[in-house]
Amino acid sequence: MWRNSRSFSSKLRSSSSFPVPSTTTTSISTFYRHITVARPSLRAFYPYSSSLFSLLSLSPSSSDPTRQGFSNSHGVRVFSSVADPSSLASASVVSRAREAVDLARHYGRCYWELSKARLSMLVVATSGTGFVLGSGSTVDLGGLCWTCAGTMMVAASANSLNQVFEIKNDAKMKRTCRRPLPSGRITMPHAVTWATSVGLAGTAMLATKANILAAGLAASNLILYAFVYTPLKQIHPVNTWVGAIVGAIPPLLGWAAASGQISLNSMILPAALYFWQIPHFMALAYLCRDDYAAGGYKMFSLADASGQRTAAVALRNCLYLVPLGFFAYDWGITSGWFCLESSILTLAISATAFSFYRHCTMQKARRMFHASLLYLPVFMSGLLFHRLSDNEQTMEEDSSETMLDGLIQEDRYIAQKNKTEHCRGFAQGRPPVAYASVAPFPFLPVPVYADS
């Protein structure tokens, strides 16, 4: 047996141009490559070992538990793979699953950024608050969930279309150049398909699970944001006020989804959102005006080098927020405590706007921006905490009517009493005096009254 092995080694040396590796001069991997090249000639001399050579690996590793080894006549350890097919199949399944997870994670991240998920969740919060305020004494949790889901989908669609239309502008700005479309992480047709499908699905969900009015408000807001506000950003600074209208519609959508109608009471939260967005965005536009100029956007702050006009607009709209708490109490939406809390909150954000107006610096603008971020959640939380249900409003109205009726009856009683006492006193204080004339009838004089 060993004699045959030595003759096999001599034949191998004579039939190949490479030398037989030794343990001191040639690595195991080099020897393996030689063995792989010489595999046909080896099979000719060793026909019974074809199955062994079919399992030879090009990169053997002594640390691999699935490889076994044998020593040749030169003392070199030769490894062969003996892993069973089931382990190879499981490894293939694991690799495919890992690729699928990585792909899902990649597109999930792209969809998250296309949808501007944090901004969309703020829109959902305002819509949900409007739904609760319009629900009265009982809140339909199922309807609330459907309304929030539909609003989220429509908002994601609008934000995605916004990035589709502004891909060239976003590529020029540091703040937006890493978005999925400018960075090339997702293609334009893919983004358009995503935006269209999610927008149609969200509108259909609101139409079927809420009502047509809510679906119409959602569709109109999508069109206003994607096809009016977005191109207007590159044309005129009035885009800020159009964008404020877009932000004011979601709470109205929630109220309409809950009550099926739009009333005067439903305008409190939309008005707060409209006036709040102006100082919020004026601070942001002042902080990022160089970036907006590089992107080609026509913002109000770009034509205001000193920042005085930008700060004045912000301060004016902060002051417009002051009477909203009084209206909410007067219209029976909240209790009187909200009136006080809203006034304090509005004066606080107005103070930051006034500070920015006095000293137009980046620090003051950033402080006003942070104050605006705090204002909205606190205002909406106060509305929800102090809101009055239908029963409480009815009880207050009944008590007010009862008190009014009581006051009216009491006033009538007092007036009647005063009249009676007045008549009695008049009759006692002014008795008739007998006429002085002695002329016969019908020439009697009119009785003359005199005080006694």
Side-chain angles (χ1 to χ4, degrees):
M1 177 70 184
W2 293 107
R3 186 178 305 163
N4 293 336
S5 177
R6 286 194 292 271
S7 63
F8 163 73
S9 301
S10 61
K11 290 180 181 180
L12 179 61
R13 285 195 299 269
S14 62
S15 61
S16 59
S17 60
F18 54 85
V20 177
S22 64
T23 57
T24 59
T25 60
T26 309
S27 65
I28 296 176
S29 60
T30 306
F31 176 70
Y32 244 87
R33 288 196 297 271
H34 295 166
I35 289 295
T36 305
V37 174
R39 191 180 299 170
S41 60
L42 293 178
R43 283 178 178 171
F45 289 98
Y46 256 60
Y48 58 87
S49 61
S50 60
S51 61
L52 177 64
F53 286 110
S54 65
L55 296 175
L56 289 177
S57 174
L58 294 179
S59 58
S61 175
S62 60
S63 62
D64 191 351
T66 63
R67 301 182 185 275
Q68 296 179 355
F70 63 94
S71 299
N72 63 355
S73 60
H74 300 278
V76 178
R77 189 74 172 175
V78 181
F79 291 88
S80 62
S81 176
V82 294
D84 56 357
S86 61
S87 62
L88 294 177
S90 62
S92 177
V93 170
V94 170
S95 63
R96 290 179 181 177
R98 187 174 299 171
E99 291 177 0
V101 170
D102 292 339
L103 190 65
R105 187 178 300 170
H106 168 75
Y107 281 110
R109 184 67 180 175
C110 290
Y111 295 152
W112 177 273
E113 295 181 16
L114 278 175
S115 304
K116 299 180 184 176
R118 289 182 294 180
L119 177 60
S120 297
M121 285 189 285
L122 177 62
V123 173
V124 171
T126 61
S127 178
T129 303
F131 187 95
V132 175
L133 292 175
S135 296
S137 57
T138 304
V139 179
D140 182 11
L141 295 180
L144 175 62
C145 293
W146 286 115
T147 301
C148 291
T151 305
M152 182 70 183
M153 297 173 74
V154 174
S157 175
N159 290 323
S160 300
L161 289 175
N162 173 266
Q163 295 186 50
V164 167
F165 295 146
E166 294 180 347
I167 179 173
K168 294 182 180 180
N169 303 84
D170 288 345
K172 301 175 183 177
M173 300 171 61
K174 295 180 181 179
R175 188 170 57 93
T176 58
C177 64
R178 293 186 179 89
R179 285 177 175 176
L181 284 171
S183 61
R185 286 182 288 145
I186 196 171
T187 61
M188 179 76 75
H190 195 146
V192 173
T193 303
W194 155 258
T196 305
S197 58
V198 75
L200 292 175
T203 305
M205 182 182 295
L206 289 173
T208 54
K209 300 298 182 178
N211 51 58
I212 299 298
L213 179 59
L217 287 172
S220 62
N221 207 29
L222 189 154
I223 294 172
L224 186 63
Y225 183 79
F227 299 99
V228 178
Y229 166 72
T230 298
L232 198 60
K233 288 167 67 177
Q234 305 175 36
I235 299 174
H236 197 273
V238 76
N239 66 79
T240 302
W241 285 264
V242 176
I245 296 174
V246 173
I249 290 179
L252 199 62
L253 185 156
W255 185 290
S259 62
Q261 61 181 356
I262 296 175
S263 60
L264 184 63
N265 292 352
S266 64
M267 295 296 175
I268 291 294
L269 187 54
L273 276 164
Y274 177 85
F275 295 125
W276 164 81
Q277 284 179 97
I278 305 300
H280 172 77
F281 191 78
M282 287 298 167
L284 181 63
Y286 186 83
L287 291 171
C288 305
R289 53 182 177 177
D290 294 336
D291 223 13
Y292 281 121
Y297 296 112
K298 306 294 183 182
M299 297 302 170
F300 187 82
S301 60
L302 298 182
D304 181 25
S306 64
Q308 288 289 327
R309 294 172 57 197
T310 304
V313 171
L315 178 60
R316 183 169 64 246
N317 282 270
C318 286
L319 295 177
Y320 291 157
L321 293 168
V322 174
L324 294 182
F326 295 92
F327 289 148
Y329 169 68
D330 185 64
W331 296 349
I333 301 176
T334 62
S335 62
W337 285 106
F338 177 75
C339 181
L340 177 62
E341 294 173 4
S342 174
S343 300
I344 296 174
L345 183 63
T346 306
L347 291 176
I349 189 176
S350 300
T352 61
F354 181 71
S355 177
F356 176 47
Y357 178 76
R358 290 185 61 190
H359 305 285
C360 297
T361 62
M362 290 291 184
Q363 181 182 3
K364 301 296 184 180
R366 188 174 291 107
R367 183 176 299 176
M368 187 180 70
F369 180 75
H370 292 158
S372 67
L373 291 177
L374 182 64
Y375 173 85
L376 189 60
V378 176
F379 183 86
M380 292 194 301
S381 300
L383 272 175
L384 294 177
F385 185 77
H386 294 290
R387 80 180 188 97
L388 298 177
S389 63
D390 289 344
N391 295 335
E392 292 172 335
Q393 292 178 14
T394 303
M395 291 174 61
E396 286 197 357
E397 290 177 358
D398 292 343
S399 62
S400 300
E401 292 178 357
T402 303
M403 291 176 62
L404 184 60
D405 292 340
L407 290 174
I408 292 174
Q409 292 179 1
E410 184 177 358
D411 290 342
R412 288 178 179 176
Y413 174 75
I414 294 173
Q416 186 68 26
K417 183 178 180 181
N418 292 337
K419 183 178 180 180
T420 304
E421 291 178 354
H422 178 73
C423 292
R424 289 177 180 175
F426 187 81
Q428 293 174 358
R430 300 173 66 98
V433 179
Y435 51 85
S437 175
V438 291
F441 182 83
F443 302 102
L444 295 176
V446 178
V448 177
Y449 295 90
D451 294 334
S452 58

